[in-house]
Amino acid sequence: MLRQVERLPRRIAGYFRHVLRCLTGGSWWRGIALLGGLLTATVLGALFVAWTGLVSVSAHTEHWAVTRWFLGFAMRNAVETQSIGIEPPRLDDRTLVLKGAGHYETGCAACHGAPGKPRSLIVQHMIPSPPYLPDHLEQWDPSELFWIVHNGLKYTAMPAWPAYERKDEVWAMVAFLQRLPTMTPAEYEALAFGPTPAPGDGGSSALLDTLSDPLGPVLADCARCHGAEGLGRGAGAFPKLAGQSETYLLESLRAYANGARKSGVMQPIAAGLDDEVLQRLARHYAQLPADATVPATDEADEAVEYDEAELAQALRLAEHGAAERGVPSCTDCHGPKSGPINPAYPAIAGQYAEYLALQLELFKSGHRGGTDYANVMHSAAQRLTPEQIDQLARYYASQPWEAIERVTEPRD
Ligand code: HEC
Ligand code: HEC
Ligand code: HEC
């Protein structure tokens, strides 16, 4: 009996060899032809079943357990392997968290829910259904989250970042996701929506007036990030818009809408609006007073201490440029200077330092497009050193934000 069992594998192997010899007549070529035939039959069979319309594509029933396991296994391993070598920057930065929170509300909460906001019944019927994210993040480290948010996940509805070159924005989202699991609904509201305008004060009643206007809901959304008064949220996550040149605002919104200026945060917003609405938005923000005070918030940057000697050096650089490195004078185009300024050139004095520094880095690395004039900034920023960028951003941020005199653009 024992010997019969021991012989079993050999007998089975012998049996297969016999069948194979009968089918192929011992020839390699016939063996390969047989394999090819089997493959073709499988593909044709699969095509036939698909053609009959009997494959279940209904999202009414879940995947089979084995399919679900396989997809999860493949996804986890792909993310783990492909995120090797991605080095996270410092993520405990309030500006990054604020920017991430603003965009989470625009681009993620509808599918993934947020503190105090369960996922809608509709997305719960997607397969795979987007998970309620605050409970689903602990399994991923920052580099893996970066990879997922940057690339999206194929075969699911998880989209890739709309502006692939804006890795800085993806890191802002990761910084926010790091905070999400322990965030209360009140903290989420404060981060993603900003201070709720108190009835009665000037800016907010202006905001309430605009709510009766068709532009109202659009402006209320802009206000989440740019503030009801258009002066941002006290930190460099979002630029000031109030009193900025109307031409520059309009051309920048158009540049986001047509993809000439890349931003995963602003492109989806601008691309969803008609040109007429963009024109009204540009006019609205250009007319808001530039000198209103920014409402105090928890997120506000602490006042930066400026070293006088360093500021004087920065002023020299802004006024005269650095001829030996081919850096032009900034004040020629951006002021402060007496005399009018081309309306296509933005005001930068009094803008947030972190925003200015980021934009200069983006110009320098070629990742910022913009209006038809953007090329002048590419050559201006190209040869700036990181120290000069920091100095110039801090110098301009320390100046008052005020409306500047502009010449009207020649029109034909
Ligand atoms: C249209 C719906 C949709 C939107 C919008 C969306 N996602 Fe997803 N997301 C999904 C789906 C579907 C999955 C995959 C779930 C699965 O494979 O089980 C997913 C998976 C993820 C995961 C992996 C979670 C896990 O453990 O499986 C993360 C992280 C994530 N999304 C973050 C985001 C962020 C951040 C945003 C906004 C920038 C976003 N998603 C926008 C649908 C969406
Ligand atoms: C989720 C936050 C968010 C919302 C909502 C939002 N913005 Fe922005 N906005 C940003 C960020 C971040 C930037 C900087 C993007 C970049 O790096 O190019 C920006 C940049 C801009 C700029 C360019 C400013 C400059 O100095 O170059 C304009 C103009 C603008 N936004 C207008 C609007 C308008 C109008 C709305 C409403 C329709 C709006 N934004 C809604 C976050 C937001
Ligand atoms: C020849 C004119 C010119 C010179 C010189 C110039 N700029 Fe600019 N700058 C522009 C224009 C035009 C834009 C708008 C580009 C766009 O978005 O299309 C701009 C944009 C910027 C922005 C982004 C503003 C925003 O709101 O996003 C910063 C920051 C900036 N410039 C800083 C500087 C600094 C610092 C210097 C000096 C090293 C400088 N610029 C020199 C014309 C100039």
Side-chain angles (χ1 to χ4, degrees):
M1 177 71 185
L2 203 66
R3 286 185 59 193
Q4 273 179 347
V5 172
E6 275 174 0
R7 279 194 204 136
L8 201 61
R10 274 177 58 195
R11 285 182 64 181
I12 293 175
Y15 176 73
F16 271 110
R17 263 202 303 277
H18 175 69
V19 173
L20 257 171
R21 233 188 334 262
C22 289
L23 285 172
T24 63
S27 139
W28 274 105
W29 287 115
R30 280 180 69 179
I32 289 169
L34 181 74
L35 208 68
L38 274 174
L39 268 173
T40 314
T42 315
V43 170
L44 287 177
L47 273 176
F48 177 73
V49 176
W51 175 76
T52 60
L54 292 175
V55 177
S56 167
V57 292
S58 159
H60 186 63
T61 47
E62 251 288 1
H63 282 309
W64 290 338
V66 57
T67 319
R68 208 172 49 230
W69 171 83
F70 177 76
L71 292 176
F73 174 75
M75 187 265 261
R76 164 154 284 291
N77 285 305
V79 173
E80 261 174 30
T81 306
Q82 291 171 44
S83 62
I84 290 174
I86 298 177
E87 280 299 323
R90 257 194 62 197
L91 293 175
D92 58 346
D93 176 331
R94 288 168 311 161
T95 305
L96 290 182
V97 175
L98 195 60
K99 195 185 280 189
H103 183 66
Y104 188 88
E105 180 59 28
T106 318
C108 321
C111 279
H112 287 292
K117 294 184 178 185
R119 290 170 310 151
S120 83
L121 204 58
I122 291 178
V123 305
Q124 291 180 41
H125 284 81
M126 285 162 64
I127 290 185
S129 164
Y132 176 69
L133 219 46
D135 294 345
H136 240 257
L137 291 168
E138 267 151 32
Q139 51 176 325
W140 305 108
D141 68 27
S143 307
E144 291 167 343
L145 282 176
F146 174 90
W147 194 94
I148 295 175
V149 178
H150 196 211
N151 293 281
L153 298 167
K154 217 180 250 182
Y155 309 122
T156 78
M158 171 66 200
W161 195 257
Y164 202 70
E165 46 283 269
R166 290 298 302 269
K167 293 184 178 174
D168 60 293
E169 293 183 329
V170 180
W171 281 119
M173 180 54 74
V174 175
F176 165 77
L177 293 178
Q178 296 286 96
R179 295 265 307 271
L180 190 56
T182 55
M183 200 174 276
T184 64
E187 284 168 337
Y188 179 75
E189 283 283 305
L191 279 171
F193 290 87
T196 326
D201 70 42
S204 58
S205 61
L207 177 68
L208 288 181
D209 288 347
T210 58
L211 285 174
S212 55
D213 185 283
L215 203 62
V218 180
L219 273 176
D221 192 46
C222 313
R224 290 195 300 114
C225 296
H226 294 289
E229 286 83 4
L231 291 169
R233 297 270 307 275
F238 312 117
K240 294 180 182 175
L241 307 176
Q244 182 61 281
S245 143
E246 181 179 338
T247 308
Y248 173 73
L249 289 174
L250 177 58
E251 291 308 319
S252 297
L253 285 169
R254 285 178 173 157
Y256 286 127
N258 67 27
R261 182 168 168 186
K262 306 283 184 209
S263 164
V265 181
M266 274 307 296
Q267 276 181 264
I269 292 172
L273 299 169
D274 289 343
D275 196 66
E276 200 199 320
V277 176
L278 299 185
Q279 290 172 32
R280 291 187 59 190
L281 286 167
R283 202 170 320 135
H284 170 82
Y285 281 108
Q287 283 168 0
L288 285 185
D291 54 1
T293 37
V294 186
T297 57
D298 293 347
E299 303 89 31
D301 287 338
E302 285 140 27
V304 187
E305 292 291 322
Y306 291 103
D307 176 328
E308 287 300 319
E310 195 191 32
L311 269 189
Q313 201 186 351
L315 173 62
R316 259 198 316 280
L317 181 62
E319 277 180 343
H320 306 292
E324 73 288 0
R325 293 184 60 82
V327 176
S329 149
C330 316
T331 51
D332 273 0
C333 294
H334 293 290
K337 66 168 191 179
S338 56
I341 281 180
N342 184 327
Y345 299 171
I348 59 171
Q351 185 59 278
Y352 295 103
E354 267 181 88
Y355 172 78
L356 294 176
L358 173 64
Q359 299 303 313
L360 286 171
E361 279 156 19
L362 291 170
F363 278 124
K364 187 178 165 177
S365 61
H367 290 150
R368 174 165 164 180
T371 70
D372 291 345
Y373 290 87
N375 57 329
V376 300
M377 268 313 292
H378 289 130
S379 51
Q382 212 169 34
R383 292 191 190 83
L384 288 174
T385 63
E387 294 73 34
Q388 287 173 329
I389 286 182
D390 180 59
Q391 267 183 358
L392 287 167
R394 280 152 46 95
Y395 161 71
Y396 270 109
S398 72
Q399 301 302 301
W401 172 257
E402 52 197 18
I404 34 183
E405 192 195 338
R406 293 172 189 281
V407 280
T408 22
E409 219 181 2
R411 295 222 166 98
D412 42 27

